[in-house]
Amino acid sequence: MGAVLAAVLGVSLVGCSSTGGKRAEERAAKAAAEGRAAVNTPRWTFAMVTHSGDGDTFWDIVQKGADMAAKKDNINFLYSKSDEGQQQAQLVQAAIDKKVDGLIVTLAKPDAMKDVVAKAVRAGIPVITVNSGSAESKAYGALTHIGQDESIAGEAVGDELNKRGRKKALCILHEQGNVGHEQRCAGAKKTFDGQMQNLYVEGTNMPDVQASIEAKLQSDKDIDAVVTLGAPFADAAVKAKKTAGSKAEVDTFDLNATVAAGLKSETLGFAVDQQPYLQGYEAVDLLWLYRYNRNVLGGGRPVLTGPQIITAKDAGTLAEYADRGTR
């Protein structure tokens, strides 16, 4: 059992008297890199259904983590998405109809997801929630939640803005109805000593995002910080700042290769990393552990993957991983 779990979890057993754990870890890593399973458990099917819209690089990273864990754990992995709550619920129902062996869902729009998640639980399908919905996860019957506490992440942003001497900030919400986004901005407003305003934009229309931020910066020259809630929107904010002639610092939630480069060049101030690769990887891995050994992590509390404040001094170290699409 110890060798199997070491292979699955990648836990180093160097401190033990035997090198068997290290060898098992190496075999598991090699098997995963070659697309082979590191275990001989049944070929279970897990489905992940998220609230991602098209072109959101954050969810590409989540998928990569989930795919890697699925290969290692001999899992048939299915992925689907919709940024419309009702459609996302329909996709979850489709997974239930397929009688999947495990289900991973996001609860960005919890009211739309409540009934269908309950159906999955009643059908005996273990459910793990990721990224959004930590407050609702346990009540809806999920085994655990993996992600960051959005309110705490927002509070970390407010604290960082204070350290940087900012006085008036703009929080850009790119998906109306997403409770996690509201929590981020509310958390930042709670701890920020200055003024914090929300700006709602149409996240599926990037030219509109840029134009909306530009107009706001042009009309209010006192804004000295812009906080976007996703990595793709940071670039739009940087462009809007330039065309508006603003001196505001642009900061963002989430990390990708473009954000890492922006931090390194200091066109961005800081990023809040919630480690999306880890969210996908651990969700699949924990479902496997539950099916195999009835293991559950968290003790009734969310398993946190963030927040971590990333600045220019961290960007060089993380750039390699961001370039390959895993950070």
Side-chain angles (χ1 to χ4, degrees):
M1 173 69 79
V4 171
L5 292 182
V8 172
L9 293 173
V11 177
S12 175
L13 300 181
V14 175
C16 299
S17 59
S18 171
T19 59
K22 185 174 187 297
R23 288 171 182 162
E25 179 186 348
E26 291 169 349
R27 287 195 299 269
K30 182 180 179 182
E34 295 174 352
R36 297 183 290 109
V39 298
N40 61 359
T41 46
R43 180 75 169 168
W44 291 314
T45 295
F46 295 167
M48 175 183 279
V49 184
T50 75
H51 65 276
S52 170
D54 293 333
D56 192 333
T57 56
F58 178 91
W59 291 103
D60 294 339
I61 301 173
V62 174
Q63 272 189 264
K64 284 187 178 180
D67 282 334
M68 180 61 78
K71 289 175 181 176
K72 174 178 67 66
D73 292 341
N74 193 31
I75 297 301
N76 177 34
F77 178 66
L78 308 176
Y79 180 82
S80 58
K81 62 182 176 60
S82 176
D83 56 4
E84 296 293 334
Q86 196 58 43
Q87 291 181 15
Q88 186 190 5
Q90 290 171 2
L91 291 171
V92 173
Q93 182 61 58
I96 296 172
D97 293 340
K98 291 177 182 176
K99 298 182 179 180
V100 297
D101 301 296
L103 184 61
I104 303 160
V105 299
T106 61
L107 300 178
K109 292 159 184 165
D111 290 342
M113 297 291 290
K114 182 177 182 179
D115 290 344
V116 75
V117 171
K119 285 183 180 179
V121 174
R122 287 199 301 271
I125 300 173
V127 178
I128 285 180
T129 60
V130 297
N131 181 259
S132 52
S134 60
E136 295 82 9
S137 178
K138 186 176 181 180
Y140 285 13
L143 298 176
T144 194
H145 177 83
I146 303 171
Q148 69 179 3
D149 184 296
E150 303 292 18
S151 295
I152 292 174
E155 291 171 14
V157 168
D159 289 337
E160 186 67 21
L161 291 173
N162 291 335
K163 292 177 184 177
R164 292 166 176 266
R166 303 300 163 182
K167 302 300 181 184
K168 193 169 188 179
L170 193 63
C171 195
I172 312 299
L173 296 95
H174 61 267
E175 184 183 340
Q176 293 196 38
N178 187 320
V179 294
H181 289 183
E182 297 286 350
Q183 290 167 348
R184 290 179 183 182
C185 291
K189 186 174 183 178
K190 178 181 177 181
T191 56
F192 183 42
D193 293 334
Q195 298 179 38
M196 174 76 69
Q197 297 180 10
N198 288 355
L199 177 65
Y200 292 89
V201 297
E202 184 56 57
T204 56
N205 185 341
M206 202 60 76
D208 177 71
V209 173
Q210 182 177 333
S212 298
I213 298 172
E214 180 182 338
K216 188 66 177 178
L217 292 176
Q218 285 176 335
S219 66
D220 191 344
K221 298 297 184 181
D222 291 334
I223 295 173
D224 58 8
V226 177
V227 180
T228 63
L229 302 186
F233 306 96
D235 189 51
V238 169
K239 292 175 181 176
K241 166 188 171 178
K242 183 176 180 180
T243 52
S246 171
K247 295 183 178 179
E249 175 182 280
V250 177
D251 307 304
T252 190
F253 280 77
D254 303 333
L255 186 71
N256 63 13
T258 302
V259 169
L263 292 171
K264 192 173 182 179
S265 66
E266 298 189 349
T267 55
L268 295 176
F270 66 89
V272 183
D273 186 20
Q274 60 174 307
Q275 304 186 97
Y277 184 91
L278 189 59
Q279 291 179 13
Y281 189 99
E282 285 302 314
V284 170
D285 222 27
L286 291 186
L287 272 181
W288 181 89
L289 282 166
Y290 182 79
R291 296 288 318 194
Y292 175 70
N293 202 46
R294 284 298 186 267
N295 291 121
V296 179
L297 286 184
R301 295 178 180 270
V303 178
L304 299 183
T305 63
Q308 179 184 10
I309 300 295
I310 305 296
T311 62
K313 65 182 177 62
D314 309 298
T317 303
L318 295 178
E320 172 189 351
Y321 310 116
D323 285 342
R324 76 181 184 190
T326 57
R327 285 298 291 265

